[in-house]
Amino acid sequence: MRRSSPQCSFVAREQQKLIQALRHLDRAAIVRVLETFVTDERAARLRSVFSQRLEAVTLLMDAPHDPHNGAAVVRSCDAFGVQRLHVVERLEGFLASNTVARGSERWVDVRTYPTTTEAIAALQATGHELVATHPEGELVPEDLPGIPRLCLVLGNERDGIHEQLRAACKRGVRVPMRGFAESLNVSVTAAILLQHATCGRPGDMPADEQLLLHARALILTIPRAPEILVHQGVAIDGLALS
């Protein structure tokens, strides 16, 4: 079973501890202090990447099982600037292979839901149109940039998209193929569709969310960051010192 593979982690659970702590701290002060410990090139790179992050495009995985697929999708989200990945866990927690994600789990927010109903409600509340991935979908990848707020829905590796979730999708999208294969691996499908969906879109993450991402990145990548902040008089309530 792939879920017994070593070096896997429950990404969402580990992320939430840091994210929740940062929401109650002075993120501007954290960035101001820690940014002095990185090169000018690194600081510019972080700001550039976060300024291009997208909120309008997101992705929902329906009960993924294989941690290698989950990690590959996280990595694709990071590569194409998609900040949030939503997951209906339903039967088991979202597990991602760290060796496949290659650090991308630090940059993409993974939000999990125990039920399909909760996931649908959350995405409808943010105005995203749910579009199912399906071999017979009426849309093709080139149509995706024209959808203002888009959530691509990917099904379980074996069972596909749950009936309730499929019913919430207004339309479907297919990846045109010309060979004998009738479908692609879920992570390959995600990468192809995300590339098209994000093409030409400007970054749209609110400034306060960009600041949270910046603070989080510096804390995760600078050795002994919490100790540095304490020494500089910046409150770090909720952050681990180890």
Side-chain angles (χ1 to χ4, degrees):
M1 295 291 287
R2 281 284 186 92
R3 289 184 68 86
S4 63
S5 299
Q7 296 184 317
C8 292
S9 60
F10 290 101
V11 177
R13 300 177 191 177
E14 297 179 7
Q15 286 181 350
Q16 284 306 309
K17 299 174 185 177
L18 176 56
I19 293 173
Q20 291 304 316
L22 283 173
R23 292 197 182 279
H24 300 288
L25 300 178
D26 187 342
R27 298 184 290 279
I30 291 172
V31 171
R32 184 176 63 252
V33 169
L34 294 181
E35 205 169 42
T36 63
F37 290 83
V38 300
T39 65
D40 291 342
E41 292 78 11
R42 177 63 173 169
R45 172 68 171 159
L46 289 173
R47 292 182 182 277
S48 174
V49 168
F50 296 143
S51 71
Q52 297 178 71
R53 276 314 212 224
L54 289 166
E55 185 180 53
V57 177
T58 189
L59 194 151
L60 173 62
M61 299 187 76
D62 186 21
H65 173 76
D66 190 330
H68 293 73
N69 285 335
V73 172
V74 170
R75 190 171 172 181
S76 292
C77 285
D78 177 36
F80 297 113
V82 173
Q83 185 55 40
R84 297 191 180 99
L85 168 63
H86 302 262
V87 180
V88 178
E89 292 185 317
R90 196 179 307 120
L91 300 176
E92 52 193 2
F94 178 68
L95 193 63
S97 166
N98 298 331
T99 55
V100 174
R102 297 179 66 85
S104 292
E105 72 278 4
R106 296 179 296 178
W107 315 120
V108 176
D109 297 339
V110 178
R111 297 185 175 180
T112 60
Y113 308 88
T115 68
T116 301
T117 299
E118 291 171 88
I120 293 172
L123 287 159
Q124 288 180 340
T126 54
H128 286 87
E129 177 183 344
L130 276 65
V131 176
T133 54
H134 193 280
E136 297 179 2
E138 64 269 38
L139 302 177
V140 293
E142 290 78 10
D143 295 324
L144 299 179
I147 301 176
R149 294 184 67 80
L150 167 68
C151 176
L152 293 165
V153 179
L154 297 170
N156 173 269
E157 295 93 337
R158 185 188 67 181
D159 300 325
I161 300 173
H162 188 275
E163 181 179 353
Q164 181 186 2
L165 184 53
R166 188 169 60 249
C169 296
K170 296 182 178 179
R171 295 181 282 183
V173 60
R174 69 184 187 278
V175 177
M177 293 178 284
R178 62 177 69 189
F180 293 110
E182 297 181 352
S183 63
L184 297 169
N185 176 276
V186 64
S187 64
V188 175
T189 298
I192 293 171
L193 296 179
L194 285 177
Q195 193 281 326
H196 284 84
T198 59
C199 185
R201 292 188 194 246
D204 62 2
M205 287 294 292
D208 61 330
E209 289 295 316
Q210 290 186 44
L211 186 61
L212 187 150
L213 293 175
H214 200 166
R216 173 172 144 195
L218 292 170
I219 288 173
L220 288 173
T221 57
I222 295 176
R224 307 182 71 84
E227 287 88 340
I228 293 171
L229 293 170
V230 169
H231 181 71
Q232 295 295 321
V234 178
I236 62 164
D237 296 344
L239 291 183
L241 287 172
S242 58

